[in-house]
Amino acid sequence: MSAILEAPLRSDAKANAKPKALTAYRPYWAKRFGTAPFLPMSRKEMDKLGWDSCDIIIVSGDAYVDHPSFGMAVIGRTLEAQGFRVGIIAQPDWQSADAFRALGKPNLFFGVAAGNMDSMINRYTADRKIRSDDAYTPGNVGGKRPDRATLVYTQRCNEAFKDVPVVIGGIEASLRRIAHYDYWSDKVRRSVLVDAKADLLVYGNAERAIVEIAHRLAAKKPIESITDIRGTAFMRKPDDLTLDGWYEVDSSEVDTPGKVDKLLNPYLTIEEQADDNGASCAKAEAAKAGDTPPAADGAKPMLLIRRPVEKLGSRAITTPRERTVIRLPAYEQVKSDNVLYAHANRVLHLETNPGNARAIVQRHGEGHTARDVWINPPPLPLSTEEMDHVFDLPYARSPHPSYADATGSHDGETKIPAWEMIRFSVNIMRGCFGGCTFCSITEHEGRIIQSRSEDSVIREIEEIRDKVKGFTGIISDLGGPTANMYRIGCKSPEIEAACRKPSCVYPGICSNLNTDHGPLVKMYRRARALRGVKKILIGSGLRYDLAVQSPEYVKELVTHHVGGYLKIAPEHTEGGPLSKMMKPGIGTYDRFKAMFEKFSAEAGKKQFLIPYFIAAHPGTSDEDMMNLAIWLKHNGFRADQVQTFYPSPMATATAMYHSGHNPLKGISRDARKGERVDIVKGDKRRRLHKAFLRYHDSNNWPLLREALKDMGRADLIGNGKHHLIPTWQPTTDGSYQSARRSNSTPVAKTTTAKPAPGRILTQHTGLPPRDNGSRPVRPGVAKPAARPVAAKPAGRPASAAKPGGRKPR
């Protein structure tokens, strides 16, 4: 460890101080204008509100839906509650800066985000093919946002008004805050801060940081001076004078312990000590030459001194965390060194607990162009009162009126699918302590669960019942990133603040974790008892290894809150890939399945579990996928719309994919240390793993026959019920159409006989219809057929498919 400039040791009291509450700020003077029915998107709307200008303008790649599951609405309404006038520029034409001048010059700053999804994941499939649709756009039309939207929007904001600060955020910026592997260009890119040339980056849940930034800029503080807010990142020069008093921990290399001074042996003479060190003793050499030895007036005795170490409890602290920064390997190193890339990813994930995380710095550039990307520790979680404040704000819970069709409705040709998905749902919490390596929710929202109060959730349900058009009495979801982590967390705040484990439930449930589902069960019962509410469904992914800890919860869930089928995600059946995902073994799934079937039978209901699986995840062998296919057939499952692993920026599994090393096991250049990971790359092997998940598709049979023969498992080829694939091949054109995707290739016509009804349970046939409350069935009209359930789009960030950070389970 080296100190940039020496400073006295201090305690962590300041770092652990209670943050300023969101409601504790003095409102900005513009609060006198009151609350807008919708945040304005045009000068005409501003005129109606009596505004001459906007204090803050938010630019987003999503259509503007004023709902607490959409990031721009949450940030906009939170800032409005502080008294600021907030305008929205949604999905602007990025070909010029004109669209970015539509609302005039903002008084304080531009806030830029790509949207609820990463723009590249939104635009491209896991096979890097362009999607023709966009669920966050009216009419589900694709191409309304540019690739790497954060970079493009920031550039246009700077062109529109050069002297206006630009603050970037959202999941795209959040997951690109350091040098990161970019799957679409297959190379390591610089931090988005460097490429975008933004003034400040906000990562994670941004309410606390953005409110502080807005008030400081309103107080005429220059944005260059804002360097101490948690959850922010910025650029600074290596010789910045404000670094006075900071300690730097050099973690830019692996397997380098640093300089070690050899201890003196008190049993050796001076001559023997010199000889032992490969040197000579001046006194002895002078005596041999007959010369007078050198004067001793400059000599000093050598002493071994133990420096006392300040302690907090039982943990030794050598430097104060609030004044310590960890230096990661520079961009120029990680872009061409896979070992250092994996090392940087490991260090980054070890510094994600707000209770003990230190600042991180990474050098970009060399010589006089060198700049450091400085990342402050993660934001402190919102309290229950603050969560209630954010979700109780006056959202219109509807798309902006400018998106309405000819009838003034949003249910026709201009319908926004992402809004339709969450129209009658309620977000009850944030965060996830599961730590799944392919998921980016922990990098974005954190591992500490932030829960709303029961009263706040009930108020939102009543508001949906009373105000939202088209409500039929069915709440489509009470959840969040997961369905059943509400009010669950560490039993000890002290242990939670000190913990550096990447997961609270892997390899087993931590003994310090409170797994009480009582508050959630109580909320379910209170919600379904509300007047006008017919049913409460649970649409978020269920963490079944937690659920089995509470049979009461499983019974409540299965008896009252399953709409025919329930989505869960074992991800795989084999230990190899599961260990790289940090997911429980398939035995836990079997335990939950037994409970699910027992309580379904007791309730007199025929209900089904829909398991999701990942193809081609790092650490998955061909044999693993074969065994999974055998398990699927044995259990009667046929997966539809399978996707292979999608390496999203900054995820641990993405680091495995790029580097071939396992950051969970430590990184070393020594082949005998650490762990190497089998990476599924190349189109043919990725297609094979995908084909195993769709073993029932005749288009995949030729590829599977060849693979099974090469693997020495030709015994799985045959026409018996115990064989995986048949020996005969029907006539097909090789195409495949998902029953759910409109942009797939046409359906192949085959001569395969259809199975008898009920003979095989599939994910896209034989399931009871599920009514999410958005499409009431008219009397005398048959109910629509069950929508097919797609296999999990593996590797997407958690907020990539469901607005508001909900995990696509």
Side-chain angles (χ1 to χ4, degrees):
M1 181 190 69
S2 61
I4 298 176
L5 289 172
E6 286 296 335
L9 295 178
R10 299 189 301 182
S11 69
D12 283 344
K14 181 179 179 180
N16 296 326
K18 186 176 181 180
K20 188 173 183 178
L22 293 180
T23 54
Y25 290 86
R26 182 179 179 182
Y28 191 57
W29 68 267
K31 192 174 180 64
R32 67 187 66 177
F33 287 101
T35 301
F38 283 89
L39 301 178
M41 293 181 62
S42 66
R43 290 304 297 256
K44 183 178 180 181
E45 291 176 80
M46 291 171 58
D47 292 340
K48 286 184 178 180
L49 295 171
W51 298 4
D52 61 342
S53 63
C54 290
D55 300 309
I56 299 158
I57 295 177
I58 296 175
V59 181
S60 175
D62 292 341
Y64 171 34
V65 179
D66 200 49
H67 188 283
S69 287
F70 284 76
M72 80 175 82
V74 172
I75 295 303
R77 290 297 188 182
T78 299
L79 288 169
E80 181 189 52
Q82 300 290 325
F84 298 104
R85 295 168 293 178
V86 182
I88 298 288
I89 299 178
Q91 296 187 321
D93 178 4
W94 68 88
Q95 302 300 329
S96 73
D98 294 342
F100 296 79
R101 300 188 182 100
L103 302 182
K105 181 179 178 180
N107 301 322
L108 300 180
F109 66 91
F110 275 111
V112 171
N116 274 17
M117 278 184 72
D118 182 284
S119 63
M120 299 300 288
I121 294 176
N122 178 277
R123 180 67 166 155
Y124 297 92
T125 69
D127 297 324
R128 300 189 180 96
K129 295 180 180 178
I130 297 178
R131 304 181 194 271
S132 61
D133 55 1
D134 184 344
Y136 294 86
T137 300
N140 201 23
V141 178
K144 291 296 185 180
R145 76 187 81 205
D147 290 353
R148 312 187 200 286
T150 301
L151 303 183
V152 177
Y153 291 160
T154 302
Q155 178 183 351
R156 293 303 186 213
C157 288
N158 285 326
E159 289 179 12
F161 302 103
K162 294 182 180 180
D163 56 340
V164 175
V166 178
V167 179
I168 59 176
I171 195 165
E172 180 167 283
S174 186
L175 300 185
R176 286 172 164 81
R177 56 187 183 262
I178 64 168
H180 56 279
Y181 172 70
D182 184 81
Y183 173 64
W184 304 272
S185 59
D186 194 26
K187 67 179 183 181
V188 176
R189 290 180 63 95
R190 300 183 296 184
S191 165
V192 68
L193 255 178
V194 180
D195 288 338
K197 296 180 175 59
D199 296 282
L200 204 58
L201 182 152
V202 178
Y203 69 90
N205 294 320
E207 292 93 348
R208 198 181 298 285
I210 204 71
V211 165
E212 179 67 20
I213 291 167
H215 280 288
R216 290 198 193 182
L217 292 177
K220 306 301 181 183
K221 300 288 180 64
I223 196 164
E224 295 81 9
S225 68
I226 303 177
T227 60
D228 62 336
I229 298 177
R230 280 175 166 267
T232 62
F234 53 92
M235 302 291 293
R236 77 188 330 162
K237 295 181 180 179
D239 57 352
D240 192 332
L241 296 179
T242 61
L243 291 172
D244 185 9
W246 280 85
Y247 290 84
E248 180 180 298
V249 176
D250 187 2
S251 190
S252 60
E253 276 295 342
V254 294
D255 295 340
T256 305
K259 182 180 179 181
V260 178
D261 294 328
K262 189 173 182 179
L263 295 179
L264 298 177
N265 188 333
Y267 294 99
L268 296 181
T269 65
I270 294 178
E271 295 177 38
E272 290 171 331
Q273 290 173 6
D275 185 62
D276 187 52
N277 290 323
S280 61
C281 176
K283 180 179 179 180
E285 294 293 335
K288 291 179 181 179
D291 297 333
T292 303
D297 55 351
K300 295 182 180 179
M302 301 186 68
L303 302 175
L304 292 178
I305 302 176
R306 290 185 180 275
R307 184 178 182 182
V309 178
E310 179 186 0
K311 289 188 177 182
L312 294 178
S314 60
R315 296 173 58 243
I317 306 296
T318 56
T319 59
R321 287 186 175 271
E322 80 276 10
R323 301 295 292 178
T324 300
V325 61
I326 298 178
R327 179 166 294 281
L328 298 179
Y331 161 72
E332 283 70 23
Q333 293 176 286
V334 299
K335 72 176 182 179
S336 56
D337 190 328
N338 289 349
V339 173
L340 287 182
Y341 182 91
H343 167 71
N345 181 271
R346 176 177 171 84
V347 174
L348 177 77
H349 283 82
L350 286 173
E351 300 297 329
T352 55
N353 183 345
N356 58 37
R358 292 163 286 189
I360 293 174
V361 64
Q362 186 177 52
R363 182 69 50 85
H364 284 64
E366 297 173 329
H368 69 279
T369 63
R371 294 292 184 273
D372 283 338
V373 174
W374 186 286
I375 304 172
N376 284 325
L380 295 173
L382 297 183
S383 65
T384 297
E385 293 75 18
E386 289 173 316
M387 285 283 286
D388 289 353
H389 166 73
V390 169
F391 282 89
D392 288 346
L393 293 171
Y395 302 98
R397 304 191 68 88
S398 170
H400 190 272
S402 62
Y403 303 128
D405 56 23
T407 64
S409 170
H410 299 284
D411 295 320
E413 58 185 14
T414 62
K415 180 165 59 179
I416 301 171
W419 169 68
E420 179 71 17
M421 184 190 304
I422 52 82
R423 186 176 181 178
F424 305 116
S425 70
V426 178
N427 198 330
I428 64 175
M429 44 78 69
R430 288 179 179 172
C432 178
F433 50 71
C436 302
T437 61
F438 53 82
C439 177
S440 300
I441 193 66
T442 51
E443 286 86 348
H444 186 58
E445 290 193 5
R447 292 182 175 86
I448 298 176
I449 303 303
Q450 304 164 69
S451 301
R452 298 169 63 183
S453 70
E454 181 182 301
D455 289 342
S456 176
V457 173
I458 296 300
R459 282 196 299 271
E460 184 169 351
I461 296 174
E462 291 175 332
E463 186 174 0
I464 293 173
R465 178 196 65 192
D466 299 336
K467 297 181 181 179
V468 178
K469 180 181 177 181
F471 180 65
T472 60
I474 299 175
I475 296 295
S476 60
D477 188 24
L478 281 185
T482 57
N484 59 321
M485 288 187 183
Y486 178 76
R487 295 285 180 93
I488 292 180
C490 193
K491 297 175 182 177
S492 166
E494 292 76 17
I495 293 176
E496 181 179 69
C499 183
R500 291 163 68 85
K501 290 180 61 177
S503 172
C504 299
V505 291
Y506 182 85
I509 296 177
C510 178
S511 59
N512 294 311
L513 184 67
N514 163 37
T515 60
D516 180 20
H517 285 64
L520 189 55
V521 172
K522 182 173 177 287
M523 180 191 293
Y524 284 178
R525 292 171 177 170
R526 182 178 172 187
R528 62 184 172 86
L530 289 174
R531 177 185 56 82
V533 174
K534 299 176 183 177
K535 194 172 187 63
I536 303 284
L537 294 173
I538 304 303
S540 297
L542 182 77
R543 190 77 194 202
Y544 57 88
D545 51 348
L546 278 177
V548 295
Q549 305 295 315
S550 176
E552 179 190 20
Y553 170 75
V554 178
K555 183 174 182 178
E556 169 72 19
L557 176 75
V558 172
T559 305
H560 300 286
H561 305 285
V562 176
Y565 59 88
L566 181 68
K567 299 177 291 183
I568 58 175
E571 314 295 8
H572 217 284
T573 59
E574 307 305 297
L578 288 174
S579 68
K580 308 304 181 296
M581 302 173 186
M582 292 206 300
K583 292 287 290 186
I586 198 66
T588 308
Y589 165 82
D590 293 333
R591 288 177 58 199
F592 179 78
K593 181 173 181 287
M595 296 176 68
F596 180 87
E597 292 174 345
K598 173 189 173 184
F599 292 129
S600 291
E602 290 179 1
K605 296 183 177 182
K606 190 174 182 180
Q607 301 182 138
F608 306 93
L609 283 179
I610 305 301
Y612 285 75
F613 299 95
I614 291 180
H617 189 279
T620 307
S621 67
D622 298 348
E623 289 75 14
D624 290 331
M625 291 305 301
M626 177 192 70
N627 291 334
L628 173 54
I630 294 172
W631 185 93
L632 286 171
K633 183 164 186 179
H634 175 74
N635 286 275
F637 287 107
R638 289 183 172 185
D640 179 50
Q641 196 194 343
V642 175
Q643 280 194 320
T644 49
F645 167 70
Y646 207 149
S648 58
M650 215 170 86
T652 299
T654 302
M656 296 180 194
Y657 177 88
H658 171 62
S659 70
H661 294 264
N662 184 1
L664 301 174
K665 297 293 185 180
I667 304 300
S668 174
R669 296 191 186 276
D670 189 339
R672 297 168 297 178
K673 300 178 181 179
E675 182 181 0
R676 303 302 186 268
V677 180
D678 180 16
I679 304 302
V680 185
K681 289 189 177 181
D683 290 340
K684 182 175 181 180
R685 195 171 177 213
R686 286 170 69 85
R687 284 200 307 270
L688 173 62
H689 282 216
K690 189 173 181 178
F692 271 120
L693 275 181
R694 286 188 51 79
Y695 67 90
H696 53 280
D697 186 346
S698 57
N699 291 299
N700 293 326
W701 292 349
L703 178 61
L704 291 175
R705 287 193 197 99
E706 178 186 354
L708 289 172
K709 291 175 182 178
D710 292 342
M711 296 162 65
R713 293 304 308 270
D715 59 298
L716 294 174
I717 305 173
N719 301 323
K721 64 179 182 179
H722 298 298
H723 294 105
L724 185 62
I725 57 173
T727 56
W728 55 276
Q729 182 68 33
T731 302
T732 70
D733 61 6
S735 61
Y736 160 67
Q737 179 182 2
S738 163
R740 195 170 186 174
R741 301 291 286 187
S742 60
N743 61 340
S744 299
T745 50
V747 175
K749 294 183 179 180
T750 73
T751 59
T752 307
K754 293 183 179 180
R759 182 177 179 183
I760 297 179
L761 172 64
T762 75
Q763 287 191 347
H764 52 88
T765 61
L767 294 176
R770 176 173 177 173
D771 186 359
N772 66 0
S774 61
R775 296 175 180 172
V777 179
R778 298 191 305 273
V781 179
K783 289 187 177 181
R787 290 177 61 85
V789 180
K792 180 180 180 181
R796 281 192 183 183
S799 59
K802 251 193 170 184
R806 300 190 184 175
K807 226 171 189 177
R809 292 297 193 209

